[in-house]
Amino acid sequence: MGRYTGKQFTDITPAGQQIIALAGRIMAEAENIKRISREHTDQRRGSLSIATTHTQARYVLPEVIRKFIARYPEVALHMHQGSPSQIAELAAEHAVDFAIATEALELYQGLVMLPCYRWNRSIVVPPGHPLTRVKRVSLQALAEYPLVTYVFGFTGRSQLDEAFRRESLVPKVVFTATDADVIKTYVRLGLGVGIVASLSFDAGQNQDLVAIDASHLFDYSVTRIGFSRGSFLRRYMYDFMELFAPHLTRELVDAAAAARDGESLEALFAGIALPTL
């Protein structure tokens, strides 16, 4: 099957890879059997595990989880924060029920990924910064300043880099982080101009900073929620998805799970106007 070194196998043979894949499917089916049993014995008890990024956990999910807990007080919630690759790995290993992500959709091939909402970015600067006096900030103007933004692979960073490439500009990224609050902290220290997801800026809590709309500069990003294809979804799981994205009704989720290719999935959502956060 393979050579064992320390705590893990290396040089896994093709037969070994097939065995590991089969074992994963068997474990997933065993979990489905348990869920079906629990669904018919107690529909309001259980657990729900979610893997996502800091931005989702900090700025989007709190209100959703508050409503969910009020509806299902006896469902235990577990939140895992990580990079897109870590989120995809947890989902692929059936270690979580849902993956919520924006970037690197190619990592989620084994999941049914459902579009939830669109979002864009804001430029964040201290009061009195020269950019606050510009009526409509251009990429050329932005490229003149040192930038503080997300690590590549996080929170729509690829759209930011692509926008500069289209204009043949090279942004001066001097500091990156996975956390919008960290980015804002270093903007306050004068390290540079921040670019963050607009949904992460609260004017009431960030009174010492100014947010400038940058949606005309960058393509919108779409955040998706995903689950393993073939998973048995309990009633409270359907309800969680609908709380997170109201257009994700049980009927639509079931139809998406039954879709066999990307085109069929896209067709299901073609007539739905995603909300913008």
Side-chain angles (χ1 to χ4, degrees), residues 202-231:
D202 184 327
Q205 295 182 359
N206 303 130
Q207 296 179 1
D208 57 342
L209 295 172
V210 176
I212 303 168
D213 178 53
S215 60
H216 61 288
L217 298 177
F218 307 107
D219 292 336
Y220 277 83
S221 294
V222 174
T223 292
R224 291 172 169 81
I225 186 167
F227 54 89
S228 295
R229 191 174 295 280
S231 294

Side-chain angles (χ1 to χ4, degrees), residues 151-168:
V151 173
F152 189 82
F154 267 80
T155 318
R157 170 66 190 272
S158 59
Q159 279 91 339
L160 185 150
D161 290 343
E162 179 58 29
F164 281 102
R165 273 197 297 269
R166 284 198 300 263
E167 298 293 325
S168 299

